[in-house]
Amino acid sequence: MVRIIPASPKIGAEIQGVNIKTMDEATFRTVYQAFLDHIVIVIRGQDLNEEDFMAFSSRFGELKPHMTKKAHHPRYPNLMLMDNRILNTRTGEESKTASPLLIRIGNVWHTDTSYDYITAKATGMYAINVPSVGGDTLFSNSYAAYDALPSGLKQKLEGRSASHIYGGRLKRQQERMEDSERGRAPAIHPMTPTHPETGRKSLYFNDGQIMSILGLEQAQSDALIADLAQRTASPDGDYRHKWQKGDVVLWDNRCSIHCATGDYPANERRTNWRSTIMDFGWQAQRSSLQARSA
Ligand code: SIN
């Protein structure tokens, strides 16, 4: 029997009693509804190969290779191979201990791929090697972040959009980029979008990659970005996921932010596969913004 157990008051649920490899359509519908209701779903104890994990992820939507080519799985580009010792998956370049740069990847509150015009609806991760301590992932609910804004600030953000760029203001992400990945045009996204499936409003904010809020002087925009960063980043988030080998965690990027804590021993290995699931549901909202800002 499928059981859905909330992981915290604001976000996350563990789904028990499912086997990802054999899940029928009716069970998947329950899992999908839990994803919409709880934003982050956790399914523990799975024994998957790459194709099993891709097949499960693609039940949520179309998969896409991540921009960072150095992290593509060598045989399955729709997956990222996130391993703290593999510096470049295509050349096979490795370091003997965990790379300090890779330990800190994802260690900022963010939503995935806001630098793309069509963003990631969801991200899935499967844990292969888990450090003995640390290496957790924190999640926060962006519907709640929107609801908690003072009404004056909600009004100020209503109808506004912001530009997001790959690499953004994050030095360590820029260091991972290849020349062909630089110089992309910014993507424009609404700051308080309506979720296409739940109809709820959220605060769409990505601290590392948001560059400016359209229609404001740069100084005003910088001040507002700094204010929103304070409001959205909290030391522990709303839910802390402590990974176990065999965990599948899948989150909704349209209404949450996450942050990798990165605080594990450098002599231990952390390895995950990660899938990027596309969102075509916001295209209409975004087309009109893109046209207005052109
Ligand atoms: C991510 O930031 O997308 C990955 C999170 C993690 O490595 O814990």
Side-chain angles (χ1 to χ4, degrees):
M1 198 185 74
V2 180
R3 285 175 303 282
I4 297 170
I5 299 158
S8 82
K10 281 196 188 166
I11 194 169
E14 182 173 342
I15 305 180
Q16 296 181 344
V18 296
N19 179 336
I20 277 179
K21 288 196 278 200
T22 56
M23 191 188 298
D24 62 18
E25 193 49 35
T27 308
F28 179 68
R29 277 200 296 276
T30 305
V31 168
Y32 195 88
Q33 191 57 49
F35 159 74
L36 292 179
D37 293 343
H38 297 279
I39 306 173
V40 179
I41 52 172
V42 175
I43 306 177
R44 296 205 192 255
Q46 303 297 304
D47 179 15
L48 306 180
N49 63 28
E50 289 93 333
E51 288 179 10
D52 299 326
F53 181 55
M54 286 193 295
F56 174 67
S57 301
S58 60
R59 292 178 91 162
F60 290 80
E62 199 174 306
L63 305 189
K64 185 182 169 187
H66 193 271
M67 270 292 292
T68 309
K69 297 193 187 79
K70 281 181 181 167
H72 286 182
H73 188 295
R75 277 171 294 123
Y76 301 95
N78 275 340
L79 294 184
M80 279 174 104
L81 172 56
M82 298 171 69
D83 183 307
N84 58 18
R85 296 192 195 168
I86 304 181
L87 303 173
N88 187 331
T89 56
R90 289 184 303 169
T91 60
E93 191 189 349
E94 286 198 26
S95 66
K96 286 201 167 48
T97 56
S99 138
L101 174 67
L102 293 184
I103 289 180
R104 297 197 61 229
I105 281 285
N107 180 223
V108 60
W109 283 104
H110 64 285
T111 174
D112 290 326
T113 80
S114 72
Y115 50 79
D116 264 336
Y117 169 49
I118 299 176
T119 58
K121 162 185 177 174
T123 302
M125 264 175 73
Y126 176 62
I128 297 161
N129 294 310
V130 177
S132 57
V133 285
D136 304 338
T137 310
L138 310 176
F139 293 93
S140 276
N141 180 328
S142 304
Y143 297 131
Y146 175 79
D147 291 343
L149 294 176
S151 59
L153 190 45
K154 277 188 187 144
Q155 277 167 21
K156 193 168 177 180
L157 295 176
E158 185 60 36
R160 280 209 186 275
S161 49
S163 66
H164 299 241
I165 200 152
Y166 184 57
R169 294 177 287 128
L170 292 177
K171 191 162 168 286
R172 62 178 172 274
Q173 204 172 64
Q174 286 164 7
E175 282 171 19
R176 288 281 286 160
M177 285 159 67
E178 299 181 357
D179 287 346
S180 63
E181 296 164 357
R182 295 177 201 279
R184 285 163 49 98
I188 311 297
H189 299 299
M191 298 198 70
T192 57
T194 301
H195 192 292
E197 294 182 86
T198 65
R200 295 183 64 189
K201 277 177 92 70
S202 67
L203 178 64
Y204 190 73
F205 184 74
N206 187 345
D207 191 16
Q209 300 188 336
I210 190 164
M211 299 307 282
S212 63
I213 299 174
L214 274 61
L216 298 183
E217 297 290 333
Q218 193 60 46
Q220 282 179 305
S221 161
D222 290 347
L224 186 47
I225 289 172
D227 180 22
L228 293 172
Q230 287 288 323
R231 291 173 189 277
T232 49
S234 71
D236 291 320
D238 296 326
Y239 168 59
R240 173 182 288 263
H241 184 69
K242 289 190 167 295
W243 291 91
Q244 295 172 13
K245 184 175 162 59
D247 281 359
V248 170
V249 176
L250 194 137
W251 60 88
D252 191 333
N253 285 301
R254 302 166 293 185
C255 50
S256 66
I257 52 174
H258 58 279
C259 175
T261 59
D263 52 350
Y264 55 88
N267 61 352
E268 294 193 23
R269 199 150 194 170
R270 184 177 192 263
T271 313
N272 299 278
W273 296 328
R274 201 183 94 145
S275 55
T276 308
I277 300 156
M278 297 312 294
D279 171 19
F280 296 100
W282 284 2
Q283 201 166 3
Q285 279 186 53
R286 287 166 195 196
S287 299
S288 67
L289 284 170
Q290 213 84 29
R292 264 191 273 152
S293 68

